[in-house]
Amino acid sequence: MSDTGMKTSTPRTVSAPCQPAAGRPRRRAAWLLAATAMLSGCSWFGGSRTPTVPIGTPGYVTGFLGGAVADEPRAALVAREILSSGGTAVDAAVAGAFAMSVTLPSRAGIGGGGACLVYNQRLRQVVAVSFPAGGRSAALPPGTDRPAAIPLMARGLFLLHTRGGRLRFEQLIRPAEDLARFGTEVSAALAEDLAVVAAPLLNDPQARRVFGAPGGGPLRGGERLTQLDLGATLAQMRSGGVGELYQGGLSQRLEEASLLAGGGLTDAEMRAALAEVQDPVRVPVGTDIAFFLPAGADGSAGTAAAFQAIQAGGAPGGGAMMSGASAGLLTMDSAGDAVACTFSMNNLFGTGRVVEGTGVLLAAAPNMGTVPPAPLAVGMVTNRDLRSFRMASAGTGQQAAGIAAATMLATALRRQPFDSGFAAIPEPGRGLVLSCPAYMPGGNQSCVAAADPRGGGVAAGSFAP
């Protein structure tokens, strides 16, 4: 086992499909494409071109590059830039997830975890990569008043990168590092979460330094969020590898400072925590196959069961208990590779405490006190015979997360307007969807993506040349 800790087992949208406007220019600058996607919530994917700049540089892919959908706009744009630079869907998902750790720390973070479905077009294979914010043993260090989950995000994203990444892993950390160091505007999604938990969150002096406004109260939408300590932590992982967080100098600092923050992380627990590659759950749908996270990763979401109920014409059952908040991210590249991820801190802002000197917000340990594990709900469909990608979805919204992911997958399969699918998701559920009815690769002209208009997410992709 390497020091990265890998373990392998057997916006808004209009009715879909979207139509490009009449007389639309055939070429657009990259920034305009991204802005258009953010405004409409839909993104169109077109033909490909010969690269004219070095791989790893935005603009390497100038035609069809695929697309990204996320619950936070900046993360979607970071993922899109990686696709433009010649990165795969895996590269885009890794970079987008690191970025979301900075831009939506209420729901995704280095101190938390998640799970992803990954489709590799060359191997014609779907696997699940599982790295939930880990549980703790009953024996906690003295003074642990808010037990922290074992942080698995970094190890999980490293393992995800081994399933089809092309760009260097350290290159995928850099956008998040820059966002933390130089700051980014507070998005509507983050502002909403800050408003919900402002009072308890700002009781922690380290959290107040990060999320508090100069005049008092939490940061508001459009204000600047700067996280210098987190930027330094990301820089250390970029230069020394993610193993630094689990068995290096960074691990020791995290252990010592987490004790002071009441999280009680131990070096031994962090060293032993593993991300895993698992077989997904498979549900046949005609000539297609729908894939879902295995039960352990899916948690209480019950996404596969909700999907089967919808397909049978029944009402999907929802979770009876409130569960933690989460955030979704979908990516697809020009080769037809795709990734569907969901991330969580188990609670909004996890424990609500930031580890001094690291900028790491501690996720809440699941199944301790009143904190259940957050549902991690994603789905993906490929064709059984063509073995090509067709669609992916992600769901958030506590106990309604599984219903949200299942509803949008069923909506796309039936080629119904996305608006009708979003409207059918019960509160507090929110959905993301990316669909290519003519399959990928080859059916890029049919592809469209959208985020639930009730949330703060966007879709970002490219138009046909």
Side-chain angles (χ1 to χ4, degrees), residues 309-361:
I310 294 171
Q311 289 296 100
M321 297 177 60
M322 296 293 286
S323 51
S326 55
L329 171 67
L330 310 174
T331 62
M332 183 193 70
D333 61 35
S334 60
D337 299 324
V339 180
C341 295
T342 182
F343 314 106
S344 182
M345 303 287 285
N346 289 327
N347 271 340
L348 273 182
F349 293 94
T351 64
R353 294 179 180 175
V354 175
V355 178
E356 186 175 4
T358 69
V360 175
L361 183 64

Side-chain angles (χ1 to χ4, degrees), residues 363-440:
N367 298 318
M368 303 198 87
T370 59
V371 179
L376 301 175
V378 291
M380 185 176 291
V381 174
T382 67
N383 185 269
R384 186 181 62 201
D385 300 319
L386 299 176
R387 296 186 178 182
S388 299
F389 171 76
R390 183 170 179 182
M391 64 190 63
S393 69
T396 61
Q398 303 179 37
Q399 71 275 13
I403 297 175
T407 297
M408 294 317 299
L409 209 65
T411 299
L413 270 172
R414 297 168 181 172
R415 303 195 183 193
Q416 296 174 334
F418 289 163
D419 278 350
S420 65
F422 291 135
I425 298 172
E427 291 288 347
R430 300 288 184 267
L432 303 176
V433 64
L434 192 162
S435 176
C436 299
Y439 300 97
M440 279 295 300

